[in-house]
Amino acid sequence: MNDETQAKHKIVIVGGGASGLELATTLGKTLGRQGLAEITLLDATSTHIWKPLLHEVAAGTIDSSEAVEYLAQAYRCDFQFRLGKMQGLDRANKLIHVAPTYSSTQEELIPARSFAYDTLVMSVGSVSNTFNIKGVDEHCMFLDATSQAYSFQKQLLEACIKTHASANTQPLSIVIVGAGATGVELSAELHEVTRMLAVYGLEHANRVKITIIEAATQLLPALPHRLATATQDQLTKLDIDLKLGRRVVEVTPHSIKMHDGEELPADLKVWAAGIKAPDWMQNIDGLETNRINQLVVDANLQTSDPNIFAMGDCAACIWAGVPGNVNIPPRAQAAHQQASTLAKSIRNRLQGKPLVPFVYYDYGSLVSLGKYTTVGNLMGSLMGSVTIGGFVARIVYLSLYKMHQVAIHGYFRTAMLTLSNLFRRSVYVKIKMH
Ligand SMILES: Cc1cc2nc3c(=O)[nH]c(=O)nc-3n(C[C@H](O)[C@H](O)[C@H](O)COP(=O)(O)OP(=O)(O)OC[C@H]3O[C@@H](n4cnc5c(N)ncnc54)[C@H](O)[C@@H]3O)c2cc1C
């Protein structure tokens, strides 16, 4: 390393998801390109797929063509990418510790190592919260990472092939625990996919019973009641069984047990009942974390250590202006907004200027029921809260992903990607069948 490199301010971003990849890209194109800082993005995987698409990956309705290669993105946008899983922090020496990386055959590819930082940004996202319920870890599938979504897709396809070939008329039972956006969107997507498999020739693949179990008495507890009711009507039309106000107490290899004693047979079980930050983050090197392991940050997204910031699902930030000390919800739109604010703050920090306080604008929530419909409410200071549905909602829903794509690819490449996707979809089959 020459003296010039050593003197550069080291910004390390851990987690290249909805927030981290946008931040690395923006800082790379500004501070990195001008030679004012050395920006390193660390991620546990080598490619990025926007997490809200994972239920579609799981159903097989989108494939790996949506993935962004971190190394190529880093080359294009003047930051460096390092593969590895952070496992510890040494604040006194300003180091992060990274676990060894192994190949699929368990050969050590990269030994354990440490990276020095001047500014550290934590954006490692969240994982499913199993609330220590017996059997969940062992017998349920999760949609926390792309690899899990692919693995679910493979199991789903195999289960459908088996159902098609079986002389037994018993339907394949798929149970989703959690009726938040993830569970609801996944159920509609699975309904669509099993119907398409039947059209493609696996006639009995639609012999499927999809059930959602939810502890609250309403679907989509975070959305207005009217929208929840509209979604409920739509799912009922699709013959998706809703068990509301029912708490799961145990999961076994072939069933799910509820608090009232009912035991539901289940071939495929998906857990989507709440989130937490990863367990290794709990009070990491003395930093304050909350009961779901999120790093507590102030209005500047800064932890109690002024050199460490956190954003996205792994950060607990009070939602200013909302009564009752409510935290900003773990959503892609919050992650996107926080990445933009932090990009400005970090540039200011390097110039000795004040940080920019984060203000969250809730633009509303949208839930996609695949090809069937999209429902949601839009919030705006001029309009108040507006309920939308159908085609308009679908366009607004898709625009959330377009905003993410624009942040990492720019307008021109996003337009090209959108066009090429349209052409691809008109040529290839609509679902992945291998
Ligand atoms: C199926 C599904 C559907 C969703 N739908 C919506 C939606 O419609 N609208 C909405 O607003 N939100 C939605 N969300 C929530 C949204 O995806 C998250 O709020 C958002 O992705 C959070 O962004 P993030 O940057 O905090 O984390 P993520 O996007 O999750 O990225 C975290 C990154 O950190 C990496 N990482 C994790 N641990 C480590 C480690 N130890 N070391 C290094 N790297 C690590 C991961 O590999 C990942 O790349 C959905 C989530 C799911 C699962």
Side-chain angles (χ1 to χ4, degrees), residues 15-127:
S19 59
L21 184 56
E22 291 190 13
L23 180 66
T25 300
T26 310
L27 291 180
K29 283 179 172 174
T30 50
L31 299 178
R33 203 156 278 174
Q34 292 155 10
L36 297 175
E38 183 186 298
I39 297 128
T40 304
L41 174 68
L42 175 82
D43 200 282
T45 59
S46 50
T47 56
H48 159 78
I49 289 190
W50 195 54
K51 206 171 174 183
L53 296 179
L54 288 191
H55 64 282
E56 293 178 58
V57 176
T61 44
I62 63 166
D63 61 18
S64 55
S65 62
E66 296 293 333
V68 176
E69 299 279 354
Y70 286 120
L71 271 175
Q73 179 74 3
Y75 168 74
R76 223 169 47 80
C77 301
D78 293 278
F79 64 89
Q80 53 185 14
F81 172 69
R82 296 292 176 257
L83 178 65
K85 202 166 188 173
M86 179 175 169
Q87 60 177 2
L89 173 66
D90 175 354
R91 292 202 287 138
N93 294 302
K94 292 197 190 166
L95 290 173
I96 60 159
H97 300 306
V98 180
T101 302
Y102 297 96
S103 71
S104 53
T105 54
Q106 292 309 304
E107 183 197 344
E108 187 179 277
L109 296 177
I110 312 171
R113 53 191 171 155
S114 301
F115 292 100
Y117 64 84
D118 296 306
T119 299
L120 174 65
V121 181
M122 297 294 294
S123 48
V124 293
S126 58
V127 293

Side-chain angles (χ1 to χ4, degrees), residues 353-386:
K353 293 184 188 163
L355 300 175
V356 182
F358 176 65
V359 181
Y360 177 54
Y361 294 101
D362 183 4
Y363 292 107
S365 307
L366 290 155
V367 178
S368 161
L369 302 181
K371 71 167 188 187
Y372 304 110
T373 189
T374 301
V375 289
N377 70 316
L378 292 184
M379 315 277 276
S381 49
L382 287 178
M383 303 185 288
S385 174
V386 178

Side-chain angles (χ1 to χ4, degrees), residues 393-408:
R394 183 76 197 148
I395 295 297
V396 179
Y397 182 84
L398 290 176
S399 72
L400 294 178
Y401 181 41
K402 291 298 150 203
M403 273 160 58
H404 177 65
Q405 287 188 306
V406 166
I408 55 178

